[in-house]
Amino acid sequence: MDPFLRGIYLFPIVLLWVFFFTNEVFSLDRRQQDPFSISGVSVDRVSESADRARDLALSDGRESAFALLLDRLVLRKDLSKISSISGEKLDPLVASIEIQNERNSRVRYIATLKVGFSEKSVRRLLRDFGVGFSETFSKPILLLPVLQDHLGTFLWDQGSGWLKAWEELVRPHSLLKIKVPKVNDGLEGLITAEQAATGDESHLEAARKQFGTAGILVVIAQLKKDPVSNDIIVNFVINRYRNLAPDFTEVRSLRAPEGGSLVKLFSQAAGNIFDEISELWKFNTRIQFEDPRLIRATAYYSNLREWISLRNSVESDASVQHIELSQVSRTKAVLEIHYYGDPNQLKLRLAQKNIDLSQEVENWSIVQAGQKN
């Protein structure tokens, strides 16, 4: 174990994920994201000829992209359930390869690849292995890294190693999307370090609206010195906020030996925290094919275009087998939705498409988020 990470203590985690991600409609200018496409795959191969080097590089790229895809969709604890797939076995899974920044010599080939995979083939493969998976990107979350030490509390300090650790964190293939603000002179007036650390309701909401995110993750690094060993003890307090109320809290402690690198500790801690929250996101949005369900719901809409959009959004969820219509009018339709998994997981996935699935007295309702039925 890395000496900077010894003495990790995890406290109980309180999760109310559904309530955090499904509350409001957010005007987010987001490009359509394809969960089955992996970009930025670097390849570099040397062989007896340029053609042979190219073939080997493209084969490497497909295998690397597939490993990244599985890490995106599948819980890490379930990856061991999937048999090794490489070479020709990947052929039915790969839908496209886009080659970028191509360079080659007589014996070497270098490029960056974007590999697209077949949704149906990958879903069928994972289902055959009995592995649940998620393919739902989260709405962006604003991340505020607060540093507390004997000098004070800091948020927008460009010299903060804790802020820098998050700015340099690279996780481009995760379903979990975070925003770390770029430091500028106007941010201090938006929310201060003290306001972020204490969970000031009005300023947290102002920051969320300013950056157009679905919520806020405040990660506080508290530095203290052990008077006996002179080690630096860092307590990390993780608070997630939705609608001004904390719904996720976790605390952990790390110890850096005297003279140890806080930069390294902060970098590893930021990566670990992100990865754990990313795994929780996959867990709470995963599709469980061993658990078929049925819910009856009334869809409310104001015009034909809205109805088509609602139905397409529900039908496009991978957990939905089919939809049966029993009644249709100009403003509402009664549906039977046959799907897999827990209704709260379906609710959470649809919320990322700005669709509000809510339980009524007897049945459920479906509306565009922000509209009243």
Side-chain angles (χ1 to χ4, degrees):
M1 179 182 293
D2 189 292
F4 300 111
L5 297 180
R6 67 175 188 241
I8 296 179
Y9 304 97
L10 294 180
F11 288 76
I13 298 175
V14 181
L15 294 175
L16 295 173
W17 282 79
V18 171
F19 301 114
F20 171 72
F21 279 98
T22 60
N23 185 64
E24 301 178 17
V25 58
F26 303 98
S27 299
L28 300 176
D29 181 20
R30 298 186 297 154
R31 295 175 296 175
Q32 186 69 30
Q33 300 175 96
D34 180 5
F36 293 90
S37 178
I38 300 293
S39 58
V41 180
S42 298
V43 294
D44 186 349
R45 266 288 198 161
V46 175
S47 190
E48 63 270 12
S49 68
D51 288 343
R52 178 58 176 162
R54 184 180 187 274
D55 291 343
L56 292 173
L58 294 183
S59 178
D60 291 346
R62 296 197 320 168
E63 292 181 14
S64 296
F66 186 63
L68 290 170
L69 178 71
L70 292 181
D71 191 59
R72 168 186 282 174
L73 305 181
V74 178
L75 289 169
R76 291 183 177 178
K77 70 179 183 64
D78 291 335
L79 290 175
S80 61
K81 299 177 182 178
I82 304 172
S83 300
S84 177
I85 299 174
S86 59
E88 294 181 354
K89 293 181 180 180
L90 278 175
D91 290 345
L93 301 177
V94 177
S96 64
I97 298 180
E98 180 181 329
I99 301 175
Q100 305 165 336
N101 304 321
E102 186 177 42
R103 292 180 292 159
N104 65 301
S105 67
R106 289 186 300 107
V107 295
R108 188 178 183 186
Y109 183 84
I110 302 173
T112 302
L113 309 180
K114 179 179 180 181
V115 184
F117 293 89
S118 165
E119 295 181 16
K120 291 182 179 180
S121 297
V122 173
R123 287 169 178 167
R124 183 166 53 248
L125 174 78
L126 296 176
R127 186 172 179 178
D128 288 346
F129 279 117
V131 173
F133 62 93
S134 173
E135 55 183 64
T136 303
F137 285 102
S138 75
K139 290 181 179 180
I141 303 166
L142 178 64
L143 189 137
L144 301 178
V146 177
L147 177 66
Q148 293 180 330
D149 61 17
H150 67 286
L151 296 176
T153 301
F154 307 94
L155 174 58
W156 307 119
D157 184 357
Q158 290 181 309
S160 167
W162 187 223
L163 173 61
K164 185 178 181 181
W166 286 100
E167 289 177 335
E168 296 179 350
L169 183 68
V170 179
R171 293 291 191 277
H173 304 298
S174 175
L175 293 173
L176 180 71
K177 299 302 175 184
I178 64 171
K179 285 185 178 181
V180 181
K182 299 295 183 182
V183 176
N184 62 57
D185 294 338
L187 291 178
E188 185 71 25
L190 180 64
I191 184 170
T192 66
E194 289 78 9
Q195 290 162 347
T198 59
D200 183 281
E201 297 180 356
S202 61
H203 287 89
L204 285 171
E205 178 66 0
R208 184 193 67 76
K209 288 183 176 180
Q210 175 69 25
F211 290 97
T213 62
I216 297 180
L217 183 67
V218 179
V219 187
I220 308 170
Q222 302 170 331
L223 274 65
K224 297 181 181 180
K225 193 169 186 178
D226 187 323
V228 177
S229 65
N230 286 326
D231 292 353
I232 299 296
I233 300 173
V234 187
N235 291 325
F236 295 96
V237 182
I238 306 164
N239 291 315
R240 170 162 260 153
Y241 294 90
R242 186 275 310 167
N243 256 11
L244 317 179
D247 66 353
F248 174 105
T249 300
E250 181 180 355
V251 181
R252 66 181 62 189
S253 296
L254 308 182
R255 182 181 291 265
E258 183 180 10
S261 171
L262 278 177
V263 173
K264 185 177 181 180
L265 184 146
F266 282 155
S267 177
Q268 293 182 347
N272 289 343
I273 290 170
F274 180 91
D275 290 344
E276 289 169 11
I277 297 175
S278 179
E279 286 295 288
L280 287 169
W281 173 253
K282 285 188 285 186
F283 180 83
N284 284 283
T285 56
R286 74 195 188 287
I287 300 166
Q288 304 174 83
F289 289 105
E290 74 279 5
D291 186 15
R293 300 280 190 104
L294 164 68
I295 61 172
R296 293 175 176 83
T298 302
Y300 297 92
Y301 45 86
S302 56
N303 53 57
L304 179 60
R305 170 184 276 183
E306 196 172 293
W307 157 236
I308 294 174
S309 176
L310 276 172
R311 177 165 180 168
N312 288 343
S313 294
V314 176
E315 285 184 325
S316 65
D317 188 271
S319 73
V320 175
Q321 290 179 283
H322 63 277
I323 295 175
E324 296 179 5
L325 286 175
S326 59
Q327 298 178 35
V328 181
S329 72
R330 292 166 57 182
T331 57
K332 66 180 181 179
V334 179
L335 321 171
E336 287 190 350
I337 304 173
H338 298 259
Y339 70 104
Y340 296 101
D342 184 272
N344 284 329
Q345 292 175 316
L346 179 62
K347 176 184 175 77
L348 182 56
R349 290 192 297 270
L350 292 179
Q352 309 314 300
K353 304 176 184 180
N354 285 330
I355 303 298
D356 183 14
L357 175 66
S358 302
Q359 189 162 19
E360 297 181 329
V361 177
E362 295 182 357
N363 295 326
W364 293 72
S365 67
I366 303 176
V367 297
Q368 291 282 351
Q371 296 187 4
K372 296 181 179 179
N373 54 32

